[in-house]
Amino acid sequence: MTRLEVEFPALPGSIDGYKGASDWFIDSNIQLAMAASRILVKESGKRVHILVPDGGEYNRSYKMFKGALDLADGVSMGHLKENSKGVFSGFNIFGSVPDTDAETLSLAARKADVFIVVNASTIELLDLERYIEETVGERPLVLWNLELDTLRADLGLLGFPPKELQFRFLSQFTPVFYIRQRDYSKSVAVSPFIINYSGCIFREYPGPWQVMLRQDNGQYACIAEDERRYNLGEAKEEMMAAMGLDTEEEGSALQFLRRGYKRSTWWEDAVDLEQTDQWRR
C-alpha cells in the first residue's frame, strides 16, 4: 500500500481541530508525526520525510522542532513546494526564507522511503498531487490528520479545486487508522425530554469499519461493523437503534423529518465517478 490516510483527534478536550487553537493543532500534528516517524525508523529502518504545506510553514516548524529533528536519525522535514521552480519558490508572503536550502531538502526527499503530510489545506491539495507526481512516485505517502472529510466539503466552491480532485486523487487513499467522533441529541416525549449521546466511526486496518457508542463510563463499545465505510447518517442510525431511539414508523413523516432528505454527501454518493474506491475500503 502506498497511499494511506491516518485520522484521529490530535488533541483532547475543547480543542476541535482548526476551530480551536489552530497553532496547537498544527504543532501537535507535527509532534505526533515525528513520534510515528521515529517508530518507523526504529522498527523498519526506513527514512521518513515529513512535509508541511509551504516554505513559510516549514520555516516556523523547522525552527520550533530543530532540536528534535537533529536527534531523530532518519527523519527529515520539508514542504510541498520544496521543488517548485517558480519565481517565488523558497519565499513566503512574510518575506522569510526557509533555513534549509532547496538542494538539501531535495536530497532528503530523494533519500526518503516514506512521506508523511501534515497540516495541508484544501487549496494545497493540488500542491500535494503535484508533489506526488514529481517527487514521491510509487513510494508510500501518509496523509496525517488532514481532516479530509472537511477538505472535501470545500471542493468545487469558488476559489477551491474542482470536485474532480476527489474522484481522481483523494479516492486513492486508504484509511488505515480512522476515528471520527460526533455528538448528537434527540427530544423525547417523557423525562428527561432531551437525550444526549455520542459515538464515533472507527477503523484500524485491516479490520472492518465500526460504529462505536460512548458508554456512561467514557469507554466506547462497538455496536455495528461492516467491510465498507459508514457515512455519518448511517452511523447515527446505528447509534439510535442501539439505544432504542429509532421509534418512528418506517416511512412515516416523523422519520422523514428526523432523517431529512439528504443523509450522505456528494462525494459519498458519486460512486460511478471515482477512479478507485480505496477510500471506502
Side-chain angles (χ1 to χ4, degrees):
M1 299 175 66
T2 60
R3 302 291 176 258
L4 307 98
E5 177 191 1
V6 171
E7 185 69 52
F8 63 97
L11 287 171
S14 60
I15 306 301
D16 184 13
Y18 294 106
K19 293 176 285 185
S22 59
D23 285 349
W24 289 6
F25 183 69
I26 288 170
D27 296 341
S28 177
N29 279 333
I30 294 175
Q31 286 179 304
L32 291 165
M34 289 181 62
S37 299
R38 288 193 292 267
I39 293 173
L40 277 172
V41 173
K42 181 180 178 180
E43 297 289 333
S44 67
K46 296 182 182 297
R47 293 177 174 270
V48 183
H49 196 49
I50 300 173
L51 294 162
V52 295
D54 54 37
E57 185 64 31
Y58 168 81
N59 195 36
R60 174 186 177 276
S61 300
Y62 183 80
K63 288 180 179 179
M64 180 174 296
F65 297 106
K66 184 178 186 301
L69 285 166
D70 290 343
L71 294 174
D73 292 335
V75 181
S76 58
M77 181 179 288
H79 57 89
L80 295 175
K81 298 181 180 179
E82 61 192 27
N83 294 326
S84 297
K85 306 299 182 182
V87 176
F88 298 103
S89 62
F91 294 86
N92 63 60
I93 60 174
F94 302 105
S96 59
V97 183
D99 292 331
T100 309
D101 61 78
E103 182 58 34
T104 302
L105 294 180
S106 180
L107 178 61
R110 289 197 299 270
K111 289 183 175 180
D113 301 298
V114 181
F115 297 81
I116 298 180
V117 180
V118 295
N119 301 329
S121 67
T122 309
I123 294 293
E124 288 146 351
L125 291 176
L126 291 174
D127 295 325
L128 170 60
E129 185 181 31
R130 176 194 57 78
Y131 188 91
I132 289 176
E133 293 174 352
E134 296 179 358
T135 303
V136 177
E138 296 303 315
R139 289 175 287 179
L141 180 139
V142 183
L143 304 183
W144 188 270
N145 277 354
L146 292 196
E147 298 191 342
L148 277 190
D149 286 338
T150 300
L151 303 190
R152 288 183 175 107
D154 291 332
L155 295 177
L157 299 178
L158 183 64
F160 290 92
K163 293 181 178 180
E164 205 268 332
L165 189 67
Q166 157 66 16
F167 308 139
R168 74 167 186 262
F169 179 58
L170 295 182
S171 60
Q172 300 174 23
F173 289 86
T174 301
V176 292
F177 192 85
Y178 183 96
I179 301 174
R180 188 174 188 186
Q181 298 169 314
R182 279 295 182 269
D183 297 321
Y184 299 105
S185 63
K186 184 183 180 183
S187 58
V188 293
V190 296
S191 179
F193 302 110
I194 298 249
I195 297 178
N196 299 311
Y197 60 101
S198 61
C200 69
I201 301 174
F202 174 74
R203 198 280 177 92
E204 184 176 7
Y205 186 89
W209 288 88
Q210 298 180 339
V211 178
M212 313 282 282
L213 186 64
R214 191 174 189 271
Q215 309 297 295
D216 292 338
N217 60 6
Q219 296 183 341
Y220 286 83
C222 176
I223 57 172
E225 62 180 41
D226 200 311
E227 293 302 317
R228 307 293 288 181
R229 182 180 185 138
Y230 289 92
N231 63 42
L232 286 178
E234 293 167 341
K236 182 180 179 182
E237 291 295 320
E238 294 287 357
M239 294 179 204
M240 293 186 64
M243 297 184 65
L245 296 177
D246 56 342
T247 55
E248 295 88 357
E249 183 180 348
E250 185 68 30
S252 67
L254 284 176
Q255 185 188 61
F256 176 80
L257 291 172
R258 172 171 62 80
R259 289 182 174 181
Y261 171 72
K262 193 72 172 171
R263 300 176 57 203
S264 56
T265 60
W266 60 262
W267 61 87
E268 291 168 328
D269 292 337
V271 178
D272 295 338
L273 298 177
E274 298 172 353
Q275 294 188 11
T276 174
D277 65 349
Q278 286 296 125
W279 77 283
R280 300 178 187 268
R281 297 183 181 181

